[in-house]
Amino acid sequence: MMRKTNPKSQSTELELDQPNIEDYLPSGHTIHQEPHGKLRLCDLLDISPTLSEAAGAIVDDSFLRCFKSIRSEPWNWNVYLFPLWCFGVVIRYLILFPARVLLLSFGWMIFLSAFIPVHLLLKRDNSVRKNIERCLVEMICGFFVASWTGVVKYHGPRPSMRPKQVFVANHTSMIDFIILEQMTAFAVIMQKHPGWVGLLQNTILESVGCIWFNRTEAKDREIVARKLREHVQGADNNPLLIFPEGTCVNNHYSVMFKKGAFELGCTVCPVAIKYNKIFVDAFWNSRKQSFTKHLLQLMTSWAVVCDVWYLEPQNQKPGETSIEFAERVREIISQRAGLKMVPWDGYLKYSRPSPKLREGKQRNFVESVLRRLEEK
Amino acid sequence: MGTASSMLTQYDIEEVQEHCDNLFSQQEIVSLYQRFCQLDRNAKGFISSDEFLSVPEFAMNPLSQRLLKMVDGINFKDFVAFLSAFSAKATAQHKIELIFKVYDSDRNGKVSFNDIVEVLKDLSGSFMSDEQRERVLSQVLKEAGYTKDSSLTLDDFIKVLGQSELKMDVEIPVD
């Protein structure tokens, strides 16, 4: 007598960790309806559903779509518009760009001449120093935004400095941080970067209370979670801004939110950012260009237009898990900014999916086969 | 076509169309080319296994390793030819030929009992024991009139699978 293994093994922790992917994939993917009838050789040999899913993924998939720069139609293609565009290029590169560089340099000079003395002379916990540094950081961010002629419309009440609250926003480029920072000095949690950005992180951003993480380190999550908790407890710390997607997405989709920000026992204030691609696409495709190139691209375009919505603060409902809470906030932000939600973890950009995802499919297959074997 | 440039000429499109027996329209070939360039990160002219695996939906497919053996290092012409089996215009025989190729990993034109068990292993993972797999397969083989020692040829596959509607179509998004 064959001992039947029960395919319904215990749900793995990772499955509880994610919403059901099958809910999100378009109906075309679940090509096969529940097969029934006694199992025959042709049923066992017929791998066409699995092959079709694989081919479907090769042809188009909802994950890579999130990181594709969607190019808008070129408008400069006829005899009248092309010279106009050329004229525009001349103005942008030869007049606007140098003016912006000058402006930015001017801003940096003011900033450094005030920041360095204050940083060195006053003690670390001095509240006057903190306030001055806060204002200075807001100012330099304002200069940055002006250097790409940022036209930012802020909607909703300006965030207030209250303890036990965190801000979460969707992520398109590192300039998201600058745009929000010019309004309110947030403390942010960022990936540690090399180069001049890293230098800025170590010196200036440290003063507003930023937290670093490193995607590549395995134990990183726990360390970061602890740092987050410590920060929100502190009364005098700047409000914490978190980008739960963990990576830059192209502003048409949103990937899954990491639950770290949602298990701190704080109020979560969602912020939605939507860029208008009318002059330039603000999506920073970190695979395709370095941040410097990205900034240069912004500085040689007419303007960066975007909308920022400060949305109603949310609390974790009783009986709601952190993941459900994260998904609920993601839906609020995605609706406001017109983003399509996809069920993928942004970190899949850098690593392979866990084998548990495959196991779900395998389990379904085995269940179906064993069931049909029994049918008459 | 040489190295992958970002534009396809009309000649290139027609050449590729001929290579896949006109199973794709010219629009679809252009779309597929955009997709090919997206997957081929550094424009080498072919897609490596690693780049296929960067598509999470593909990486989590149980048959991904088998398919990778068929598409690793594939250039654009062969990419289209491979996918042409999934065109709605492809014949059932064409589709069954692809299924046969997936089973016949050693390319000897015959699919043995063990070949099928190997594919079942990919599909069922750790949820079935080897013994269970062999037992189920033996049973359905017997009912279909084959034995454990019989090797199935392409014609056998066509006979067995050709009876029912094979749902193996993938739509190419055309913008």
Side-chain angles (χ1 to χ4, degrees):
Chain A
M1 172 74 169
M2 252 317 274
R3 187 177 65 87
K4 288 200 204 93
T5 44
N6 186 1
K8 277 193 171 52
S9 38
Q10 296 87 359
S11 296
T12 54
E13 188 214 291
L14 207 65
E15 266 153 39
L16 294 172
D17 230 35
Q18 291 173 344
N20 190 3
I21 284 190
E22 299 289 326
D23 287 339
Y24 287 90
L25 291 176
S27 54
H29 280 254
T30 47
I31 297 171
H32 44 106
Q33 303 103 321
E34 261 307 310
H36 50 95
K38 178 127 180 70
L39 191 72
R40 294 160 299 160
L41 181 62
C42 57
D43 301 313
L44 212 56
L45 287 182
D46 185 6
I47 48 174
S48 60
T50 314
L51 284 185
S52 306
E53 280 178 12
I58 292 178
V59 164
D60 185 24
D61 76 294
S62 54
F63 182 69
L64 287 186
R65 248 185 267 151
C66 297
F67 307 101
K68 194 168 147 192
S69 321
I70 299 178
R71 247 178 267 124
S72 34
E73 285 298 313
W75 56 273
N76 56 354
W77 44 263
N78 75 7
V79 169
Y80 168 63
L81 294 174
F82 189 67
L84 203 62
W85 177 77
C86 288
F87 181 59
V89 169
V90 165
I91 296 196
R92 280 190 286 135
Y93 279 81
L94 297 181
I95 301 179
L96 279 186
F97 180 62
R100 287 168 174 172
V101 171
L102 279 174
L103 179 66
L104 196 56
S105 319
F106 178 62
W108 271 109
M109 281 196 299
I110 302 183
F111 175 77
L112 289 172
S113 56
F115 187 81
I116 293 179
V118 168
H119 196 75
L120 294 174
L121 295 176
L122 296 177
K123 278 222 226 24
R124 181 171 269 269
D125 292 325
N126 191 329
S127 68
V128 169
R129 176 178 120 150
K130 275 206 173 163
N131 280 324
I132 296 182
E133 287 181 344
R134 233 176 245 155
C135 291
L136 284 180
V137 170
E138 281 179 25
M139 182 200 76
I140 188 65
C141 286
F143 269 99
F144 256 115
V145 173
S147 76
W148 2 279
T149 317
V151 179
V152 186
K153 202 156 180 219
Y154 296 93
H155 308 256
R158 198 178 149 164
S160 47
M161 295 247 304
R162 258 183 260 158
K164 302 282 246 150
Q165 73 177 359
V166 288
F167 290 81
V168 300
N170 58 311
H171 200 27
T172 304
S173 161
M174 287 227 279
I175 64 173
D176 290 340
F177 163 65
I178 300 178
I179 286 176
L180 292 179
E181 191 80 358
Q182 78 161 350
M183 251 278 138
T184 324
F186 288 108
V188 80
I189 160 168
M190 280 174 88
Q191 162 78 36
K192 206 52 191 287
H193 280 275
W196 63 271
V197 180
L199 182 64
L200 282 185
Q201 287 181 322
N202 282 330
T203 48
I204 299 166
L205 294 180
E206 195 86 41
S207 69
V208 274
C210 292
I211 299 174
W212 316 123
F213 69 84
N214 208 333
R215 266 181 215 120
T216 50
E217 271 168 46
K219 284 275 171 198
D220 201 56
R221 257 206 203 175
E222 298 158 20
I223 302 174
V224 166
R226 189 180 38 85
K227 286 193 198 166
L228 287 179
R229 263 191 291 272
E230 284 168 9
H231 186 105
V232 283
Q233 307 293 356
D236 199 31
N237 287 330
N238 288 326
L240 190 59
L241 172 64
I242 301 178
F243 295 108
E245 286 172 312
T247 188
C248 291
V249 186
N250 70 0
N251 210 226
H252 287 271
Y253 297 92
S254 66
V255 296
M256 271 173 34
F257 277 9
K258 302 208 174 308
K259 60 181 176 160
F262 300 89
E263 13 180 57
L264 299 169
C266 301
T267 314
V268 169
C269 309
V271 180
I273 308 176
K274 180 74 173 178
Y275 291 91
N276 188 331
K277 294 220 291 252
I278 183 173
F279 295 120
V280 72
D281 184 357
F283 167 48
W284 176 38
N285 196 340
S286 54
R287 280 271 161 79
K288 292 251 162 92
Q289 46 180 199
S290 67
F291 188 59
T292 317
K293 255 202 200 156
H294 172 66
L295 266 192
L296 287 177
Q297 187 190 4
L298 294 179
M299 285 174 79
T300 52
S301 59
W302 290 111
V304 173
V305 182
C306 75
D307 284 284
V308 173
W309 290 274
Y310 295 110
L311 302 169
E312 194 184 325
Q314 302 291 323
N315 281 305
Q316 190 164 3
K317 296 201 180 121
E320 197 181 37
T321 66
S322 316
I323 296 168
E324 288 166 355
F325 184 30
E327 282 299 291
R328 185 165 61 86
V329 172
R330 173 159 87 114
E331 201 180 330
I332 294 173
I333 293 182
S334 303
Q335 242 184 8
R336 182 69 265 192
L339 308 171
K340 289 197 206 86
M341 295 171 65
V342 296
W344 302 106
D345 179 344
Y347 278 12
L348 286 173
K349 227 175 164 186
Y350 309 97
S351 63
R352 299 274 167 262
S354 120
K356 313 269 188 203
L357 289 177
R358 184 183 300 187
E359 282 172 16
K361 290 191 177 294
Q362 289 170 331
R363 190 192 311 141
N364 288 339
F365 173 75
V366 169
E367 273 174 24
S368 165
V369 162
L370 292 180
R371 183 174 41 86
R372 294 177 69 185
L373 207 55
E374 300 302 311
E375 279 184 40
K376 289 294 165 248
Chain B
M1 221 168 306
T3 46
S5 55
S6 48
M7 289 306 301
L8 272 186
T9 67
Q10 183 64 22
Y11 288 127
D12 294 329
I13 299 178
E14 285 173 5
E15 195 186 328
V16 171
Q17 207 176 18
E18 212 186 293
H19 189 71
C20 71
D21 294 325
N22 281 7
L23 286 171
F24 285 125
S25 71
Q26 299 204 347
Q27 281 250 17
E28 289 172 325
I29 292 180
V30 171
S31 261
L32 283 174
Y33 190 64
Q34 285 171 350
R35 178 64 171 175
F36 184 86
C37 292
Q38 188 188 23
L39 293 174
D40 175 15
R41 294 257 180 78
N42 20 19
K44 337 180 256 319
F46 62 87
I47 305 178
S48 62
S49 284
D50 217 42
E51 288 163 344
F52 274 113
L53 289 174
S54 73
V55 180
E57 255 172 74
F58 178 78
M60 68 185 227
N61 190 292
L63 294 176
S64 54
Q65 289 303 321
R66 276 180 181 265
L67 288 172
L68 276 179
K69 288 205 193 88
M70 296 166 75
V71 299
D72 183 22
I74 202 172
N75 64 24
F76 180 57
K77 251 203 215 168
D78 296 331
F79 180 72
V80 174
F82 172 78
L83 289 173
S84 62
F86 297 92
S87 156
K89 295 190 226 159
T91 60
Q93 167 142 357
H94 190 161
K95 295 178 196 280
I96 297 174
E97 274 171 18
L98 180 63
I99 295 180
F100 186 80
K101 269 201 219 132
V102 173
Y103 276 96
D104 184 18
S105 42
D106 51 10
R107 308 284 179 87
N108 63 353
K110 288 191 291 230
V111 169
S112 67
F113 183 83
N114 283 331
D115 286 336
I116 305 180
V117 170
E118 289 299 308
V119 172
L120 274 182
K121 227 190 249 182
D122 287 339
L123 290 173
S124 54
S126 54
F127 297 95
M128 252 175 134
S129 68
D130 283 338
E131 193 212 4
Q132 262 181 312
R133 284 187 273 260
E134 292 190 10
R135 191 176 64 89
V136 170
L137 183 56
S138 303
Q139 186 177 329
V140 292
L141 270 179
K142 201 169 75 161
E143 284 168 12
Y146 296 97
T147 67
K148 201 170 156 177
D149 302 315
S150 41
S151 297
L152 298 171
T153 62
L154 178 59
D155 288 328
D156 290 314
F157 263 70
I158 294 176
K159 196 166 66 147
V160 171
L161 292 172
Q163 292 163 3
S164 44
E165 263 302 312
L166 265 187
K167 293 198 196 65
M168 200 162 121
D169 297 336
V170 169
E171 203 187 304
I172 314 293
V174 169
D175 25 60

